[in-house]
Amino acid sequence: MSRVAPALRSLLRQPTSSQWRKTPGFGASQAWTKPAYQAVRRLATPAAMPSASKENIGVYCNPSHDLWVKESGPSVEEVKSGQALKEGEVTIAIKSTGICGSDIHFWRHGRIGPMIVEHDHILGHESAGEIIAVHPSVETLKVGDRVAVEPSQICGKCEPCLTGHYNGCLEMRFMSTPPVDGLLRRYVNHSAVWCHKIGDMSYEDGAMLEPLSVSLAGMARAKIALGDPVLICGAGPIGLMTLLCCSAAGAEPIVITDIDQGRLDVAKEICPRVRTYKVEPGVSMEDAGAAMSKLAGGALTTALECSGVESSIAAAIYSVKFGGKVFVIGVGKPDINIPFMRLSTQEIDLQFQYRYANTWPRAIRLVQSGVIDMKRLVTHRFSLEDAISAFETSAASAKTGAIKVLIQGEGMST
């Protein structure tokens, strides 16, 4: 840094092709070329914060359903030098990452539909952290910024991208979806455009913006409005997050279902006016749907299905009235059976969701303003080194009572 004259720093904004000029301090005859500019930018930009001291490690699974922690990239040397950064990228020291149901599926089952674990694979896509290195081309972020990481990497050229529906990008590379490695690491390089500033928001809340985005996308596509009667099927992390959103949106009445009374108790805790329905073994889909409808006063117009379970989707279809809608947020098996004639004769719309698009700014506003408070959903915290215990706790949620399990990075208490 001392090799760059202070007067030169004011010239570090890249000139246009018609504005390349001679540079003070380099001699009047020496042209200000693009290579020279880029070299000076590299000298003038700190590569990394001193906090990048420990070796990078990640949480891996494989086709044999093993789960382990080992060294990962970028290396600590690459982080310190900044040499592994590509144009438009930053390095994030990951501070908090949530375990998603998809992470459990990739570990335990090795696939979700066509997305198959074929090699050693790093998990995790719900993360927030601190910027510790910045490529010279990045002007929107600086070292020390606190960010939530949107795990998308898109082409920006296909029709879905160009029409604002980038969750349908034809060349999507979504972190943690095979073969793209995920965020459960100490350090990650990622495109700056997908790193959203969170200000003084906690890193835990920053990590929870990803599942909140799932619920917000579902709310928007299902068109939930003030006073709408809504059924939420499943009181897992996404179901409870959707409950928070429906409550904030003024839906009434709200009914939520689950097979676990403990999760229904949490639902009642975070939204006292919600009406809960415990799904008992052996109850038919028709009877369960009728009971859910009765609990809502017989006026259910929309069901938000958050489990992806076949029987739950069917019960939701039987719960809504003529002309109603069942919107499936959850992810299930590749093939399921549905009560087709119930949908047909009652003109019930069945819709689905794939991830999200353009949700992070909205999610950040909702959390920063206090409209959405997600803290009660976090039940367990583990260090990155203890990630295997974290996954085992999340996978055994029926016994452990886990809702959202977070893995904490350096400087975060567990």
Side-chain angles (χ1 to χ4, degrees), residues 164-180:
H165 305 291
Y166 61 80
N167 52 316
C169 174
L170 301 180
E171 298 180 23
M172 170 67 78
R173 290 174 55 81
F174 191 89
M175 301 192 78
S176 83
T177 296
V180 184

Side-chain angles (χ1 to χ4, degrees), residues 7 57 83 113 131 219 233 246 251-252 257 267 296 302 307 332 340 353 360 369 379 383 405:
I57 55 175
Q83 292 178 354
I131 301 295
M219 293 279 292
C233 296
C246 286
E252 177 62 28
T257 74
T302 305
S307 73
F340 175 85
Q353 171 180 341
W360 250 258
S369 65
T379 55
S383 68
V405 177

Side-chain angles (χ1 to χ4, degrees), residues 166-371:
Y166 61 80
N167 52 316
C169 174
L170 301 180
E171 298 180 23
M172 170 67 78
R173 290 174 55 81
F174 191 89
M175 301 192 78
S176 83
T177 296
V180 184
D181 282 333
L183 297 170
L184 260 173
R185 291 176 262 177
R186 276 207 180 100
Y187 318 117
V188 174
N189 293 341
H190 197 55
S191 297
V193 294
W194 300 114
C195 295
H196 302 274
K197 294 180 183 179
I198 59 174
D200 60 358
M201 182 190 299
S202 72
Y203 289 121
E204 289 193 354
D205 278 347
M208 296 282 279
L209 292 175
E210 200 278 344
L212 176 56
S213 284
V214 172
S215 295
L216 290 177
M219 293 279 292
R221 290 201 64 223
K223 295 181 172 60
I224 303 300
L226 191 70
D228 280 353
V230 174
L231 168 69
I232 301 170
C233 296
I238 296 298
L240 292 172
M241 193 75 79
T242 302
L243 172 60
L244 289 173
C245 292
C246 286
S247 177
E252 177 62 28
I254 307 173
V255 176
I256 191 167
T257 74
D258 206 273
I259 60 175
D260 186 331
Q261 184 59 47
R263 290 194 168 188
L264 294 176
D265 292 343
V266 174
K268 199 74 174 174
E269 182 181 338
I270 63 175
C271 180
R273 64 185 174 88
V274 72
R275 306 173 189 187
T276 62
Y277 177 80
K278 184 180 179 183
V279 180
E280 299 290 351
V283 177
S284 71
M285 298 174 291
E286 295 90 339
D287 289 345
M292 296 168 192
S293 176
K294 182 178 180 180
L295 192 58
L300 281 172
T301 58
T302 305
L304 301 173
E305 209 298 311
C306 298
S307 73
V309 175
E310 180 178 310
S311 58
S312 180
I313 295 172
I317 291 170
Y318 281 107
S319 75
V320 296
K321 65 181 184 179
F322 185 93
K325 177 188 296 182
V326 175
F327 190 90
V328 182
I329 298 175
V331 176
K333 297 178 180 179
D335 300 291
I336 63 170
N337 295 310
I338 58 172
F340 175 85
M341 287 308 299
R342 167 71 180 181
L343 290 166
S344 176
T345 60
Q346 297 299 301
E347 291 191 359
I348 296 169
D349 293 335
L350 181 60
Q351 289 183 271
F352 296 86
Q353 171 180 341
Y354 189 55
R355 296 175 181 151
Y356 38 72
N358 308 303
T359 52
W360 250 258
R362 183 188 300 263
I364 290 170
R365 290 195 299 270
L366 289 169
V367 175
Q368 287 181 331
S369 65
V371 173

